[in-house]
Amino acid sequence: MKKIIFFATFLFGVFNGNSKLEIPAYTSSEQTIVHTGDTVSYNQKALTPNWVAYELTRDEVAGTVKRSNEYQEDPAVRGRQATLEDYRGSGWDRGHMAPAADMKWSSKAMTESFFLTNMCPQNNEFNAGAWETTEKMGRRLANTYGKVYIVCGPIYTKNHFGTIGRNKVKVPDAFFKAFLIESNGTYAAIAFVMQNIPGHQDLKASSMTVNDLEKKIGRNLFPNLPDSVEEDVESKIVKKYWGI
C-alpha cells in the first residue's frame, strides 16, 4: 500500500532492512529481533510485540519437536520487557503470536517461541478458540501451497482492558493476522482482525483485504512484494485460495 509507505517514510524513516516477504515496513527506532523461526518488533512501552512475522513451510509443519512450555524472558531484548510475574495471577493467557505448533521443526525455534517477546495478554477462550482457528489456517495454507508468509500482532484502540503486572503490560483490544501465499506464479493475500474477547468469531466475518488492515494499524505489510503486484494483491480477496 504505497500511501502508507510514503506517510511512514516521511515521519519515521521507514526502511526495508530485510528482504523477506513476511517482514512489514518498520522504522529505524523499532527494536527488531531475529529468532530462528520468526522476527519480532518489540514495543517497550506496551511490553508486547508490535508484530511478529515468519515464513511457514510444508516441511516445517511436519516437524516433530515437542512443545516446550518453558516461558521465559528474551535475552536479546535491550531495555525493558515483560516478565513472568506480570502474567502470573493476571487472569490473562500468555498468548503466542507465532504459535509453538509452527516451530516443531527446530528445538531452538521451539524454545524461542516461548520468549515473552512473542507473547501478548489474551483472553483464555479467545486464545484457545478464535485465535487458534487462525493458527490452524496457517498450517493448512502451508500444506496446500508449500509455503505461507504470516505477520500478526496486537491492536490497541481504547485500551478497554488496561494493563497487567508491576510493569504494566498493555492488554490488546484486538489482534491482526495477515497471510500471503504464492500459487503457480500468482500471489494472493488475506487479513483478519479478531477481538480479544470470549465467544465465537467467524473467520469469514473477521476477514478483510490487506489494504483495509493496513489502514487500521497504520503499517505497510508485505512491502517486499514486487511493486507491479503489491497493490493488486493487497486490494482484493480471491476466495478460491482461502477455504473460508
Side-chain angles (χ1 to χ4, degrees):
M1 187 174 182
K2 305 304 186 294
K3 290 183 179 178
I4 290 179
I5 294 176
F6 176 79
F7 179 74
T9 302
F10 180 75
L11 291 180
F12 306 115
V14 162
F15 66 102
N16 292 326
N18 192 316
S19 61
K20 294 182 177 180
L21 288 181
E22 70 271 19
I23 304 297
Y26 60 95
T27 75
S28 58
S29 65
E30 289 180 53
Q31 183 174 178
T32 56
I33 303 168
V34 179
H35 295 136
T36 304
D38 62 70
T39 302
V40 175
S41 167
Y42 194 62
N43 187 321
Q44 291 185 298
K45 292 183 178 179
L47 297 183
T48 61
N50 294 307
W51 50 264
V52 177
Y54 63 106
E55 172 191 284
L56 183 64
T57 69
R58 185 183 292 127
D59 287 344
E60 288 169 347
V61 171
T64 59
V65 174
K66 292 183 178 179
R67 182 181 171 95
S68 164
N69 283 327
E70 295 179 3
Y71 295 89
Q72 57 188 297
E73 295 177 31
D74 190 334
V77 170
R78 303 184 306 275
R80 296 178 69 237
Q81 66 174 300
T83 68
L84 293 173
E85 282 299 318
D86 289 322
Y87 282 87
R88 190 166 289 125
S90 69
W92 295 88
D93 283 6
R94 293 163 295 198
H96 283 72
M97 295 296 96
D102 290 0
M103 302 297 156
K104 295 183 298 180
W105 52 276
S106 161
S107 295
K108 188 174 182 182
M110 176 63 72
T111 295
E112 292 172 344
S113 75
F114 283 87
F115 287 164
L116 293 181
T117 46
N118 186 41
M119 304 292 158
C120 291
Q122 284 189 332
N123 174 275
N124 173 262
E125 186 176 329
F126 170 74
N127 185 19
W131 191 242
E132 186 178 21
T133 301
T134 70
E135 295 172 348
K136 290 178 177 177
M137 181 177 179
R139 291 188 284 276
R140 175 173 58 80
L141 292 171
N143 278 325
T144 301
Y145 300 106
K147 182 184 300 182
V148 59
Y149 303 97
I150 304 170
V151 58
C152 59
I155 296 176
Y156 298 100
T157 52
K158 297 183 179 179
N159 195 215
H160 283 301
F161 306 118
T163 63
I164 60 171
R166 182 177 180 180
N167 291 305
K168 299 188 182 302
V169 181
K170 287 184 72 174
V171 180
D173 296 281
F175 291 89
F176 73 88
K177 184 171 287 188
F179 297 112
L180 173 71
I181 58 98
E182 185 268 326
S183 177
N184 297 318
T186 299
Y187 288 101
I190 192 170
F192 299 89
V193 169
M194 290 183 161
Q195 303 304 307
N196 193 13
I197 57 175
H200 176 73
Q201 296 183 60
D202 181 72
L203 272 176
K204 186 175 182 180
S206 302
S207 66
M208 62 187 67
T209 67
V210 170
N211 273 356
D212 285 341
L213 175 58
E214 288 176 333
K215 293 172 185 176
K216 285 182 177 291
I217 65 175
R219 186 182 294 273
N220 186 32
L221 305 178
F222 308 127
N224 294 313
L225 278 172
D227 289 343
S228 59
V229 301
E230 181 183 357
E231 184 61 28
D232 182 60
V233 167
E234 295 184 353
S235 64
K236 63 186 180 183
I237 296 174
V238 182
K239 294 181 181 180
K240 68 179 182 179
Y241 292 118
W242 311 113
I244 61 170

